[in-house]
Amino acid sequence: MMSFCQYFLCFAVFSFIGWAYETVYYSIQQRKFVNSGFLSTCFCPIYGMGAMLDLILLGWIENPLILFFAGMVVTCSLEYFVSWLLETLFHKRWWDYTGWPGNINGRVCLIGGIAFGTFTVALIKLIAPVTIDMIDSVSLPALHIMTCVIAFVMIADTVKTVKCMDSSKLWYVEKQAEFMNELRNGRCVGLVKKIKDTFSKKIILGPELQGALMRATMIFAPFFVCKKSAVE
């Protein structure tokens, strides 16, 4: 059975992986370095919490399909709760899926659920076993020192973040809301049509595929808007 320190280091590793994923994604999108996440350091705790919940609650599931759907439920429940908690504490939304297909009060959405379900399968089957083996190889004194140092950094960063709350990281929420408002008012139809036509010129699409492409474009077009704004 894993000790508390081993569980904590797993949480720290998964938090770092989540931070790295978001930071690389948004840095590429913005064409500059973006330190993503709630904290200032290289940890995104919501990913660590989601990964640990998956590991503890779903680690026994062998069937990948069942694991996928169970992962959707667990991680989306966590995302919904954290979204509500942050908005309750700080009176700001740190993400908003309003207008996205299958969203629930703008806190979770179908696309995110599919992504989290996929990540859950990858975590349980690939990432977690490697991470646990690496942590098992660490000596007990080193394990205690690493736990104390990382815990201190996370706690200090959380206190600093709460005291000096900065909404500058909410740029995507604003861009997404702006796009959805323009889409509802018909001002972004040209952008959506342009993206669809670009793909249509490369591949001859049937009516059903064209409809699917249009829906996908409406989902992901906020990213094009954000990228354009970053370049400007």
Side-chain angles (χ1 to χ4, degrees), residues 65-80:
L65 187 61
I66 296 176
L67 185 59
F68 171 81
F69 286 108
M72 285 182 65
V73 173
V74 170
T75 51
C76 284
S77 298
L78 174 65
E79 185 180 30
Y80 191 99

Side-chain angles (χ1 to χ4, degrees), residues 66-131:
I66 296 176
L67 185 59
F68 171 81
F69 286 108
M72 285 182 65
V73 173
V74 170
T75 51
C76 284
S77 298
L78 174 65
E79 185 180 30
Y80 191 99
F81 171 74
V82 173
S83 172
W84 169 83
L85 182 63
L86 289 176
E87 186 175 1
T88 300
L89 293 176
F90 305 113
H91 310 292
K92 296 174 183 177
R93 279 209 171 189
W94 290 79
W95 58 85
D96 190 352
Y97 299 115
T98 300
W100 288 55
N103 82 88
I104 303 177
N105 297 327
R107 302 189 188 281
V108 295
C109 71
L110 180 60
I111 298 297
I114 293 173
F116 289 141
T118 303
F119 290 155
T120 296
V121 176
L123 171 74
I124 300 298
K125 299 298 183 181
L126 299 174
I127 301 173
V130 174
T131 302

Side-chain angles (χ1 to χ4, degrees), residues 195-197 199-200 205 208-218:
I195 297 172
K196 173 178 172 292
D197 290 344
F199 280 94
S200 298
L205 302 175
E208 292 183 359
L209 287 178
Q210 287 187 16
L213 177 60
M214 178 65 79
R215 289 190 293 272
T217 302
M218 291 173 68

